[in-house]
Amino acid sequence: MRSILEESLYNFVYITGMISKFGEMKFDGNSTILKVNPIRFSNGELINPIHFKGKTTLIVNATINGCIIEDGHMWIAEDLFMKGFDIGNIVDICGNVEKYRRGDGTFDFCVSLRNIKLIGIY
């Protein structure tokens, strides 16, 4: 999955999957995304800050641009419950791929939501 996201960095991708839970992104049980001005990079240079508030949505049985994600899940950097979606909703999502720095200093990718629509309920 990371290779698909890295190849699509700052471009639009299309994701389909089911909402599994709402919460905060956590990695290895304890490292979280930096809460104060996580920074967006391109080729190692600062582009502009991402203002991430910490609430997220976990999408499972996910595909990116029609390709099945290896580990089957993806975090969306927004709480979709606040937009009227529920656990078990099957959604189509369009968004930009972003690179961010985690609280432990490592880097990863997520999708910054641009458009979402409900396509079914599990």
Side-chain angles (χ1 to χ4, degrees):
M1 172 191 72
R2 284 180 180 84
S3 62
I4 294 171
L5 293 176
E6 188 169 21
E7 291 168 8
S8 301
L9 190 59
Y10 308 129
N11 293 306
F12 281 102
V13 292
Y14 297 92
I15 299 165
T16 300
M18 184 183 73
I19 296 173
S20 174
K21 74 177 185 175
F22 304 104
E24 294 188 19
M25 279 190 213
K26 293 199 183 243
F27 303 93
D28 303 325
N30 56 23
S31 300
T32 59
I33 291 176
L34 294 171
K35 302 280 183 184
V36 180
N37 286 340
I39 298 174
R40 178 176 167 181
F41 290 87
S42 174
N43 296 324
E45 294 187 26
L46 178 66
I47 299 291
N48 59 1
I50 298 171
H51 298 285
F52 181 72
K53 295 183 173 57
K55 294 296 182 185
T56 60
T57 301
L58 178 63
I59 305 293
V60 297
N61 302 323
T63 64
I64 298 176
N65 294 338
C67 297
I68 296 171
I69 297 174
E70 291 172 13
D71 55 7
H73 74 276
M74 156 152 267
W75 287 100
I76 303 298
E78 190 166 337
D79 184 354
L80 297 181
F81 181 75
M82 298 305 290
K83 293 187 175 284
F85 293 90
D86 291 309
I87 291 173
N89 285 175
I90 301 168
V91 293
D92 270 341
I93 295 170
C94 176
N96 290 76
V97 176
E98 302 288 349
K99 184 176 183 179
Y100 63 88
R101 187 173 59 188
R102 298 177 184 151
D104 65 2
T106 61
F107 291 90
D108 204 353
F109 303 91
C110 69
V111 173
S112 177
L113 181 70
R114 296 292 178 239
N115 188 26
I116 183 169
K117 70 177 181 177
L118 178 67
I119 60 171
I121 297 174
Y122 179 75

